[in-house]
Structures are given as C-alpha cells and as structure tokens.
C-alpha cells in the first residue's frame, strides 16, 4: 500500500501513522520526524529547518522535496510506504506525483483525518513528545505511565517548541492556506478517503484500516 495522511496539525497523523504502518507493514516516513532528528543531531539540514519550524512555517520546498526524493529512493519500499506530513502544499503534491510516476508506482490513497477545529488546539497544547523515539502522548487523553517518561523507550517527554500556543495558531493558518488545497488535488485524482478523526486512537485506526481495505 502506498498512501499519505492529510489533516491539520493535531489531527493525530503521527499517532495513526504508527498503527497504520504496522498494520500494512510499510515504512512510516514523517518529514517532521526527519527534520527533528536532524535538528537533534545538529546537521546542516536540521539547522536550516529550525527557524521555519520554530515559527510554524513550512520549510522551503527545495529542501523538503529533495529530502523526500532521497528517502523514497531507498530500497525498503517494496511493500509501499506511508507518508505523514508530506505533501503539505500543491507543489509538493506535484513533485511527489512526478517521483512516483518515474517509479511507475503511483499513490493509491490519500487518507484525510477530519477533526473539529476547537478540538485541535486542545490536542496540540497538551501534546508531549518523546525526545528519543518521537512517540506522542497527551497530558489528558494519553498519559504516559510515568510522568515525563516515554512508555516505549523511557526517553524524556517534552513540549515541542511548535506546540506552544502562538506557533500553533500560525501552523493552523499555514494548514488552511497552503495544505488544505491538496485535498482537492487528491479528490480530483479519485484517491481521497476522508474519515472522522474523533474517538479513541484504536477506534480511529480501525476506521482508517476499514476504509483503506475497502480499496482493494
Ligand atoms: P510535523 O511534525 O509534521 O507537524 O512537522 C513539524 C514542522 O516541520 C512543520 O511545522 C514544518 O515546519 C516542518 N515540516 C514538516 N513536513 C514538512 C513539509 N512537507 N514541508 C515543509 N515543512 C515541513
């Protein structure tokens, strides 16, 4: 299965991506995670991305598209892939289409996670992320067993700089101005699937899997 997740920040893309990638046995490719890993290691790519990420802006296409092209060139994609956080504008969607056309392996689905806007701020402001494995928790909805410690790898949980309220506002604006238009892009190609991203993590995963399985 070759598919992408689309939805505003806070829709639960990262959390769902982990479950869906495991279910379909495909690599989970998150551009946000790749940027954060580079940032942590202090690479030139990480340093370049930082100022954009801190402001809630998109990292320039030139940088992001090259990074994705390199990643999609690796040899672990026989089973497909799940892209999370890419594409984030129509130009990126076009570039992805070009990359996949060249490989004669087009995208099969764009799964849109739809969520009430009032719910989003709540979800993002309470989110805590593992510094080590990037797993997301929530102060109210998904607490870790030990406060501040990741259940999966015992890494330290922290609040992402871009999960602070002023930045959240800008990320939501960026989503509606730049990212939301890709929904029509995929609707026109007849591969858009929209599900309600409300309820428990498990309920949403089941809904997503059922919708994706109905494709084949
Ligand atoms: P995420 O973890 O997906 O919320 O991404 C965190 C931040 O990384 C975003 O707010 C952007 O600054 C940057 N980023 C992630 N994916 C992309 C992308 N496809 N294009 C541009 N910037 C991105």
């Amino acid at each position: 299965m070759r598919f992408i997740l689309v939805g505003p920040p806070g829709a639960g893309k990262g959390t769902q991506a982990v479950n869906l990638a495991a279910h379909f046995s495909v690599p989970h490719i998150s551009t946000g995670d790749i940027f954060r890993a580079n940032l942590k290691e202090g690479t030139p790519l990480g340093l370049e991305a930082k100022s954009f990420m801190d402001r809630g802006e998109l990292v320039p296409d030139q940088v992001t598209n090259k990074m994705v092209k390199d990643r999609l060139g690796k040899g672990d994609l026989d089973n497909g892939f799940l892209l999370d956080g890419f594409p984030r504008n129509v130009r990126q969607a076009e570039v992805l289409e070009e990359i996949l056309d060249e490989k004669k392996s087009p995208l099969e689905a764009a799964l849109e996670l739809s969520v009430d806007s009032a719910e989003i701020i709540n979800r993002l402001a309470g989110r805590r992320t593992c510094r080590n494995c990037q797993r997301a928790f929530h102060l109210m909805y998904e607490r870790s067993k030990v406060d501040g410690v990741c259940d999966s790898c015992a890494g330290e949980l922290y609040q992402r700089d871009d999960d602070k309220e002023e930045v959240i506002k800008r990320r939501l604006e960026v989503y509606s101005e730049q990212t939301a238009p890709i929904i029509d892009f995929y609707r026109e190609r007849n591969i858009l699937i929209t599900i309600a991203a409300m309820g428990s993590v498990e309920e949403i995963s089941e809904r997503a899997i059922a919708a994706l399985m109905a494709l084949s």
Side-chain angles (χ1 to χ4, degrees):
M1 172 77 73
R2 293 179 297 274
F3 64 122
I4 64 164
L5 283 182
V6 191
K13 294 189 297 295
T15 306
Q16 290 304 324
V18 172
N19 290 351
L20 296 175
H23 181 89
F24 291 101
S25 304
V26 293
H28 165 206
I29 302 173
S30 155
T31 42
D33 284 355
I34 301 176
F35 284 132
R36 279 185 292 278
N38 274 277
L39 200 57
K40 197 173 152 200
E41 285 163 27
T43 69
L45 175 66
L47 295 177
E48 194 168 359
K50 183 177 172 19
S51 63
F52 298 97
M53 294 174 78
D54 284 351
R55 283 179 285 127
E57 302 291 338
L58 296 186
V59 177
D61 284 353
Q62 209 191 347
V63 176
T64 310
N65 290 342
K66 180 179 181 312
M67 183 176 90
V68 170
K69 191 164 187 197
D70 289 348
R71 179 62 188 88
L72 292 177
K74 296 215 168 120
D76 59 346
L77 306 180
D78 288 353
N79 245 348
F81 56 78
L82 169 51
L83 269 174
D84 155 19
F86 185 94
R88 256 181 157 97
N89 61 32
V90 171
R91 182 62 200 135
Q92 293 182 1
E94 288 167 352
V95 166
L96 178 63
E97 194 168 57
E98 284 160 25
I99 297 172
L100 297 178
D101 278 354
E102 254 174 51
K103 292 154 72 84
K104 302 208 176 350
S105 53
L107 208 59
E108 292 164 274
L111 181 70
E112 182 196 4
L113 300 182
S114 157
V115 62
D116 283 358
S117 47
E119 175 72 12
I120 290 175
I121 304 247
N122 215 351
R123 287 193 190 181
L124 288 174
R127 174 157 75 180
R128 295 294 179 269
T129 304
C130 175
R131 258 189 216 287
N132 184 45
C133 75
Q134 312 275 342
R135 180 169 165 190
F137 292 84
H138 193 280
L139 292 180
M140 268 156 58
Y141 309 130
E142 206 194 346
R143 296 188 67 93
S144 55
K145 292 197 181 89
V146 178
D147 275 353
V149 181
C150 175
D151 290 355
S152 300
C153 73
E156 180 203 354
L157 302 184
Y158 78 114
Q159 182 175 39
R160 283 169 40 175
D161 285 342
D162 60 351
D163 280 345
K164 311 231 158 105
E165 207 154 331
E166 330 73 74
V167 186
I168 291 175
K169 228 175 119 232
R170 181 61 194 144
R171 287 168 67 206
L172 291 172
E173 282 167 9
V174 167
Y175 179 80
S176 53
E177 287 161 12
Q178 301 185 46
T179 308
I182 72 172
I183 291 172
D184 279 339
F185 179 95
Y186 290 115
R187 188 178 289 120
E188 281 160 19
R189 281 153 181 77
N190 280 322
I191 56 169
L192 181 72
I193 302 174
T194 303
I195 63 160
M198 306 297 282
S200 72
V201 170
E202 291 73 26
E203 279 164 3
I204 299 167
S205 296
E206 277 167 25
R207 215 172 284 150
I209 290 167
L212 290 162
M213 299 284 269
L215 282 178
S216 47

